[in-house]
């Protein structure tokens, strides 16, 4: 049976229309292509600071963010491997390139790196580097939703490593006790820097931690974008209807080193190859075409749109200036410049 002719608004799977099923592909492919372009720029020394890849984890970030309802004002708090979630919420390739290249026009005007930027209107909270610390922050954000009687949901990403911090414990415990509308996405990608999961935690699986906090636990194949979407969607609905926190474990794999400088020598080639065979984009392309949800021509059309979009953004960004050095401390502390401090003295003062 062919379902190619289904009206655009008909649900084909898990309440998703043909257009939405295409969107999931679009966001995953955009994430990967943008990161590949960034690797290119990094090798040309045009990226300032580190470059963190989400290769093989695109389904995890995209499928989970897609389960939020942007029209209701849901907010997520991403981590370094969640570029895809920010793109879903409306961050643009140009903004991301400007951040990585520390341009004057970047969202943080060259003061912060990579995807550490913020837009509450579009529903993403700027991350900080400290692992686990965004869990109590998002507990506070979702408490404010509750206090204002807003039917909004918050989502926060943590890695397997971040789950070993005190902040994670305090944040999830508080959110659990308060039954806050929070979804915690636990990304089990096998490693925290060079520490494998078996040296990170004594539980058999990260979702087992849910029981210790008295919250709902759920688990999905993090390389299957539809499974990620469906599992997260159930958690979002549970949160919005007053059920409280869900800890969602997504099982995936970090196919690159911690960052571009890390050659991942502590991971065997066989392990990486086994996960290459489970590539989330390849799997989804097969699902889309086997089910008749998308044609190869439609996918090629999205690919060329992505290439054009990224190329245009790179050309524009590369020609933009860096911030003027003299402005480096402006708007950082919101404190007037201190003429008495040698290190803070403006050359033009
Ligand atoms: C509290 C804290 N300790 C150490 C670090 C340094 N650090 C940054 S990322 C990272 C590994 C994170 O691993 P995980 O949480 O599994 O996320 P992944 O990188 O695998 O996505 C470490 C140790 C940090 N940022 N914060
Ligand atoms: Mg990890």
């Amino acid at each position: 049976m062919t379902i190619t002719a289904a009206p655009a608004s008909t649900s084909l799977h898990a309440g998703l229309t043909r257009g939405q099923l295409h969107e999931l592909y679009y966001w995953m492919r955009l994430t990967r292509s943008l990161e590949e372009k960034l690797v290119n720029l990094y090798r040309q020394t045009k990226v300032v600071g580190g470059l963190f890849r989400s290769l093989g984890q695109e389904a995890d970030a995209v499928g989970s963010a897609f389960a939020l309802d942007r029209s209701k004002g849901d907010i997520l708090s991403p981590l370094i491997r969640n570029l895809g979630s920010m793109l879903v919420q409306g961050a643009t390739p140009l903004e991301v390139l400007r951040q990585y290249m520390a341009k004057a026009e970047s969202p943080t005007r060259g003061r912060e790196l990579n995807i550490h930027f913020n837009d509450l209107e579009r529903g993403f909270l700027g991350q900080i580097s400290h692992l686990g610390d965004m869990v109590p922050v998002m507990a506070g954000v979702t408490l404010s939703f509750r206090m204002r009687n807003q039917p909004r949901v918050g989502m926060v990403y943590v890695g397997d490593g971040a789950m070993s911090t005190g902040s994670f414990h305090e944040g999830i415990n508080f959110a659990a006790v308060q039954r806050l509308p929070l979804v915690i996405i636990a990304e089990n990608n096998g490693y925290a820097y060079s520490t494998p999961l078996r040296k990170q935690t004594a539980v058999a699986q990260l979702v087992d931690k849910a029981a210790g906090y008295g919250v709902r636990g759920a688990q999905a194949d993090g390389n299957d974008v539809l499974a990620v979407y469906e599992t997260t969607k159930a958690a979002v609905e549970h949160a919005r209807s007053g059920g409280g926190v869900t800890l969602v474990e997504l099982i995936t794999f970090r196919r690159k080193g911690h960052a571009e400088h890390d050659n991942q020598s502590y991971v065997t080639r066989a392990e990486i190859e086994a996960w290459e065979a489970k590539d989330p984009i390849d799997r989804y392309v097969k699902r889309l075409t086997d089910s008749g949800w998308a044609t190869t021509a439609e996918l090629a059309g999205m690919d060329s749109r992505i290439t054009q979009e990224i190329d245009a953004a790179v050309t524009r960004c590369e020609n933009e200036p860096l911030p003027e050095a003299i402005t480096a401390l402006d708007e950082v502390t919101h404190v007037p410049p201190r003429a008495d401090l040698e290190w803070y003295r403006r050359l033009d003062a």
Side-chain angles (χ1 to χ4, degrees):
M1 184 186 81
T2 174
I3 42 178
T4 314
S9 58
T10 308
S11 158
L12 297 184
H13 181 86
L16 295 168
T17 63
R18 188 178 175 83
Q20 289 172 315
L21 290 165
H22 288 197
E23 251 194 82
L24 287 171
Y25 171 79
Y26 177 81
W27 297 124
M28 287 200 289
R29 178 63 74 192
L30 179 62
T31 306
R32 184 165 299 179
S33 299
L34 183 52
E35 286 186 1
E36 282 168 355
K37 183 60 80 177
L38 283 163
V39 171
N40 220 309
L41 294 165
Y42 179 87
R43 297 208 173 127
Q44 295 173 52
T45 67
K46 290 176 180 167
V47 163
V48 179
L51 174 58
F52 304 88
R53 298 288 308 276
S54 66
L55 179 69
Q57 294 185 226
E58 296 89 347
D60 141 357
V62 167
S64 52
F66 208 72
L68 291 178
D69 190 335
R70 279 156 294 284
S71 71
K72 290 197 167 77
D74 294 347
I75 288 191
L76 59 77
S77 168
L79 279 180
I80 42 177
R81 278 175 240 293
N82 304 124
L83 167 63
S85 73
M86 292 175 68
L87 296 172
V88 169
Q89 293 291 85
T92 66
L94 180 59
E95 287 176 307
V96 173
L97 287 160
R98 282 171 167 166
Q99 278 290 119
Y100 266 104
M101 294 168 82
K103 296 292 186 162
E105 290 298 312
S106 71
T108 58
R109 292 183 297 292
R111 284 149 178 78
E112 252 284 22
L113 301 172
N114 56 68
I115 53 173
H116 289 219
F117 65 101
N118 192 61
D119 188 346
L120 294 181
E121 293 297 315
R122 284 179 286 177
F124 51 89
L125 203 67
Q127 60 187 291
I128 56 168
S129 296
H130 311 69
L131 295 175
D133 277 5
M134 294 312 285
V135 182
V137 169
M138 286 305 289
V141 167
T142 48
L143 179 63
S144 86
F145 294 164
R146 154 92 55 78
M147 292 171 77
R148 293 171 195 185
N149 277 323
Q150 297 172 334
R152 299 163 75 181
V153 172
M155 191 153 85
V156 61
Y157 294 85
V158 281
D160 39 280
M163 287 176 76
S164 300
T165 62
S167 287
F168 170 79
H169 164 71
E170 292 171 27
I172 188 174
N173 187 61
F174 180 78
V177 170
Q178 296 286 335
R179 291 177 79 83
L180 296 175
L182 182 64
V183 177
I184 302 177
I185 302 289
E187 301 181 288
N188 178 355
N189 65 0
Y191 286 86
Y193 225 121
S194 56
T195 305
L197 191 69
R198 67 175 190 285
K199 290 191 179 168
Q200 186 66 249
T201 176
V203 293
Q205 41 185 11
L206 297 178
V207 70
D208 292 347
K209 297 196 180 198
Y213 297 102
V215 300
R216 186 172 168 268
Q219 194 183 52
D221 175 348
N223 284 25
D224 175 347
V225 72
L226 293 175
V228 172
Y229 170 77
E230 287 180 71
T231 307
T232 314
K233 181 85 179 164
V236 168
E237 282 168 5
H238 181 75
R240 207 182 312 279
S241 63
V245 178
T246 303
L247 179 69
V248 180
E249 178 182 10
L250 299 178
I251 298 169
T252 183
F253 193 75
R254 199 194 70 201
R255 275 168 43 201
K256 284 284 175 184
H258 176 68
E260 276 300 294
H261 65 264
D262 169 15
N263 70 6
Q264 218 182 2
S265 56
Y266 45 88
V267 183
T268 66
R269 194 61 228 156
E271 197 173 15
I272 296 169
E273 282 170 5
W275 282 94
E276 275 169 6
K278 295 189 252 187
D279 183 81
I281 299 184
D282 292 350
R283 280 172 67 185
Y284 191 50
V285 166
K286 185 165 175 3
R287 185 85 194 269
L288 285 169
T289 49
D290 284 356
S291 314
W293 294 337
T295 63
T296 44
E298 285 171 322
L299 297 177
M302 284 190 271
D303 291 349
S304 64
R305 193 179 130 199
I306 287 166
T307 306
Q308 282 168 22
E309 196 180 342
I310 293 175
D311 287 351
V314 170
T315 305
R316 182 160 166 194
C317 185
E318 284 209 80
N319 288 308
E320 288 181 347
L322 294 168
E324 297 231 21
I326 197 119
T327 67
L329 291 175
D330 291 1
E331 297 173 296
V332 172
T333 59
H334 294 281
V335 172
R338 295 266 310 269
D340 55 321
L341 296 178
E342 178 72 21
W343 55 270
Y344 209 137
R345 202 164 59 219
R346 291 188 59 134
L347 296 177
D348 60 350

